[in-house]
Amino acid sequence: MTTKPSDIQTSPRPSILSRIGSLGPLLGLAALMIVATLLNSDFLTLANLSNVLTRAAFIGIIAVGATFVIISGGIDLSVGSMAALIAGSMILVMNAISPSLGSVGIILIGMLCALLIGAGAGLLHGTVITKGRIEPFIVTLGTLGIFRSVLTYLSQGGSISLNNTLSDAYSPVFYGKLLGIPIPILVFAAVALLGGLILNRTRYGRYVQATGSNEQVARYAAVNVTQVKIITYVIQGVCVALATLLYVPRLGSASPSTGLLWELEAIAAVIIGGTALKGGSGRIWGTVVGAILLVTIENVLNLTSIISVYLNAAVQGVVIIIVAFMQRGKRT
């Protein structure tokens, strides 16, 4: 007897204790905010909180895509290099066509270019991993080097800067506000809401969780596992492109150091948020909290002198290890 895809049960109903435990990331963020306020009263100012959320938007958007990939049982180590390549490529395209079109048209073409590169990179990852049957770790580790090397070649080891006129026209995408809320925060909220709806309210979302939970069982249930996995990497690529669209007007340039360690921050945000590193279960809201928590840690380091801000990556690495340690034994 063949099980219908719609009949797939991804997990049993969680207990009350499990539900309380799932609030861990939110409780951790609340505790961190209390400590941060006690250490420096400037933390709770509207300007500082807005800054924290705006900075969290970049990693948060990428982490939403990473949530799909990790839940399906994969991983993408190339997101930082991919962002750098997308930023450099879209700037080159925009500068090249600037004499022939108006600023708005050029910016839209640049955005389209970024989205196509992001989706294409995701499609490449998904296809090589599923059709080539190569571990995601190996494939994305390889493209991590490829993407950054290509950008280094295009920039000749330096930086690629956006035309001044275009930079001024593009700057509202990062520095502008809508109803008093910075645009990056609004985009982050929209991406997280859409990601949550897809993961929790659609058949595709159930297939992603079923694939990560037990790929073989998912195949027996007639789930097109190959297609599901490829789409998760395309989602990841599009999320990286969206984050890059917001990042480019911030500095107006791209260099080989752009997006450095973003993969570490994105993966950390996902697992801090409660997504199982081995796949099968996860939640978008947890990823959002995880991204905000990571940026809050960095913000606290900036506002205080407890630990040097240069050790931020080390702190994030420690957090990843601790959370992974706490997750051990949840799945066999």
Side-chain angles (χ1 to χ4, degrees):
M1 180 179 177
T2 302
T3 305
K4 296 180 180 178
S6 56
D7 293 336
I8 291 176
Q9 298 297 318
T10 56
S11 61
R13 184 180 292 277
S15 65
I16 294 178
L17 287 178
S18 177
R19 291 182 180 182
I20 294 175
S22 69
L23 297 176
L26 200 57
L27 296 175
L29 177 61
L32 181 61
M33 292 180 70
I34 292 173
V35 172
T37 305
L38 294 175
L39 292 173
N40 193 319
S41 58
D42 290 337
F43 176 79
L44 270 187
T45 60
L46 185 60
N48 187 59
L49 292 178
S50 176
N51 177 53
V52 168
L53 291 176
T54 301
R55 288 181 58 77
F58 298 117
I59 294 304
I61 292 171
I62 295 174
V64 168
T67 305
F68 281 89
V69 171
I70 292 177
I71 289 177
S72 71
I75 197 163
D76 190 340
L77 301 177
S78 72
V79 294
S81 299
M82 191 192 304
L85 179 60
I86 291 173
S89 300
M90 69 180 291
I91 290 174
L92 285 175
V93 170
M94 293 166 72
N95 285 341
I97 62 176
S98 62
S100 56
L101 290 173
S103 296
V104 175
I106 293 170
I107 292 171
L108 290 177
I109 291 176
M111 289 180 170
L112 179 61
C113 176
L115 291 171
L116 289 176
I117 294 175
L123 182 62
L124 173 68
H125 282 156
T127 303
V128 173
I129 289 169
T130 55
K131 303 290 186 181
R133 297 185 179 181
I134 304 174
E135 288 296 321
F137 174 84
I138 300 299
V139 173
T140 56
L141 186 63
T143 54
L144 178 153
I146 294 171
F147 292 155
R148 199 167 293 282
S149 293
V150 171
L151 175 67
T152 304
Y153 169 76
L154 293 175
S155 65
Q156 296 296 300
S159 63
I160 303 173
S161 299
L162 190 61
N163 179 296
N164 286 334
T165 302
L166 288 175
S167 183
D168 292 339
Y170 197 177
S171 62
V173 172
F174 175 78
Y175 295 101
K177 295 183 179 180
L178 188 62
L179 301 175
I181 304 173
I183 289 177
I185 297 177
L186 293 174
V187 175
F188 181 25
V191 170
L193 181 62
L194 181 61
L197 288 174
I198 293 174
L199 183 62
N200 301 315
R201 302 294 181 187
T202 67
R203 179 176 296 180
Y204 174 74
R206 293 195 298 274
Y207 290 175
V208 171
Q209 297 177 61
T211 299
S213 180
N214 192 318
E215 184 174 326
Q216 198 61 37
V217 171
R219 290 186 188 278
Y220 288 147
V223 174
N224 190 335
V225 171
T226 298
Q227 185 182 68
V228 168
K229 285 189 171 184
I230 290 176
I231 292 176
T232 61
Y233 284 97
V234 172
I235 291 173
Q236 172 73 94
V238 170
C239 285
V240 173
L242 285 172
T244 307
L245 294 181
L246 299 174
Y247 177 83
V248 167
R250 180 187 177 200
L251 298 179
S253 65
S255 71
S257 63
T258 297
L260 208 58
L261 294 179
W262 281 12
E263 53 278 346
L264 175 66
E265 296 183 32
I267 294 171
V270 174
I271 64 173
I272 288 172
T275 295
L277 195 55
K278 293 181 179 179
S281 65
R283 53 215 179 200
I284 297 296
W285 73 263
T287 297
V288 172
V289 173
I292 296 173
L293 194 149
L294 282 177
V295 177
T296 302
I297 292 174
E298 181 182 352
N299 187 250
V300 172
L301 295 181
N302 281 322
L303 293 176
T304 65
S305 57
I306 298 176
I307 302 176
S308 171
V309 70
Y310 297 121
L311 293 174
N312 184 44
V315 173
Q316 292 174 352
V318 170
V319 171
I320 292 175
I321 294 172
I322 291 175
V323 175
F325 179 79
M326 295 173 66
Q327 283 187 359
R328 80 193 196 289
K330 282 187 175 181
R331 296 185 61 223
T332 58

